[in-house]
Amino acid sequence: MKTIILDAGHGGMINGKYQTKGKRSPVWEDGSVLYEGECNRQIKDRVMELMQFHRMPYYDVNPEQIDISLKERVTRANRVSNSLYISIHSNAGGGTGCEVFVSNNCSDKSKSMAKDFEDLYYPLFDGERWRGIKQSDFYVIKNTKMPAVLIESFFMDTEKECKKYLMTKAGRDRIAIWVFESIKKMV
């Protein structure tokens, strides 16, 4: 069975201080704010919990709360043989929905992994926008040796999506289930 390498994009929180400049929602009218790296880590932790329960091998490429460099994430990932790489993010730019990225020179397996995410999207997020499978040379998916995808789950700067999915336990759990169920199809 392949080891799933999980990467929560960006840093987390240390003593109440966010570790990545930017990468957050606006401060909403009610005073709440979402820090992307903290959200990504909670989703990743839930995925790892599900994988552990189902006795599926995984590797947490960035367990620290500090923002590990992209180069270090790739170096750590490339040490793990027989693996697949998933980088978890939340989007920004005022849009809606979710999308999955593969690199421009990706393998057929990377494309297949992205398709697994696409196939499971509507059963879990009926009525939400699917933005598609896209190609981009994001550092972590371009430079890892194994098949890799980067997911962008909802928009942290779109208040409705941020508050419905990214700022709630139920929403983060649903995103984690989307990731986990996609992993089950991959392995």
Side-chain angles (χ1 to χ4, degrees):
M1 182 176 278
K2 295 203 178 288
T3 298
I4 303 300
I5 300 172
L6 295 166
D7 170 17
H10 312 296
M13 301 289 271
I14 298 176
N15 298 322
K17 185 173 185 218
Y18 186 46
Q19 299 299 301
T20 303
K21 186 175 183 174
K23 303 297 180 183
R24 65 172 186 81
S25 74
V27 177
W28 302 115
E29 197 171 297
D30 63 5
S32 63
V33 64
L34 173 97
Y35 297 99
E36 182 187 1
E38 179 271 335
C39 175
N40 297 340
R41 278 170 166 64
Q42 284 195 8
I43 293 166
K44 177 186 71 174
D45 289 347
R46 181 68 174 122
V47 172
M48 291 187 311
E49 182 180 294
L50 290 164
M51 292 185 73
Q52 186 173 4
F53 180 80
H54 290 277
R55 300 180 195 273
M56 298 171 70
Y58 65 87
Y59 175 73
D60 184 356
V61 79
N62 57 339
E64 306 90 343
Q65 292 296 313
I66 59 172
D67 196 352
I68 302 298
S69 74
L70 301 177
K71 183 178 181 183
E72 179 61 24
R73 291 170 198 236
V74 167
T75 298
R76 290 177 183 184
N78 285 340
R79 291 183 192 135
V80 181
S81 60
N82 194 29
S83 58
L84 305 171
Y85 188 94
I86 300 171
S87 189
I88 300 168
H89 294 263
S90 302
N91 220 334
T96 59
C98 298
E99 58 198 348
V100 176
F101 287 90
V102 294
S103 67
N104 289 315
N105 63 346
C106 73
S107 66
D108 287 342
K109 181 60 178 175
S110 293
K111 291 176 186 175
S112 173
M113 290 167 60
K115 182 74 171 114
D116 291 335
F117 277 97
E118 179 178 59
D119 291 347
L120 290 168
Y121 185 74
Y122 283 115
L124 287 165
F125 302 107
D126 187 38
E128 302 294 352
R129 180 178 178 203
W130 173 246
R131 299 175 60 84
I133 298 170
K134 299 179 179 179
Q135 291 185 300
S136 185
D137 281 335
F138 292 120
Y139 190 89
V140 294
I141 58 175
K142 180 182 179 186
N143 294 293
T144 48
K145 293 179 183 176
M146 69 288 302
V149 296
L150 183 147
I151 66 167
E152 293 277 9
S153 54
F154 299 106
F155 279 72
M156 66 183 132
D157 57 355
T158 300
E159 187 171 11
K160 180 181 175 188
E161 287 191 356
C162 185
K163 288 188 171 183
K164 181 176 181 179
Y165 292 108
L166 302 174
M167 294 183 82
T168 67
K169 182 179 182 332
R172 290 175 182 189
D173 281 350
R174 192 177 312 173
I175 295 166
I177 289 166
W178 177 47
V179 173
F180 175 71
E181 291 298 327
S182 297
I183 289 168
K184 283 178 24 183
K185 286 185 72 174
M186 293 171 200
V187 294

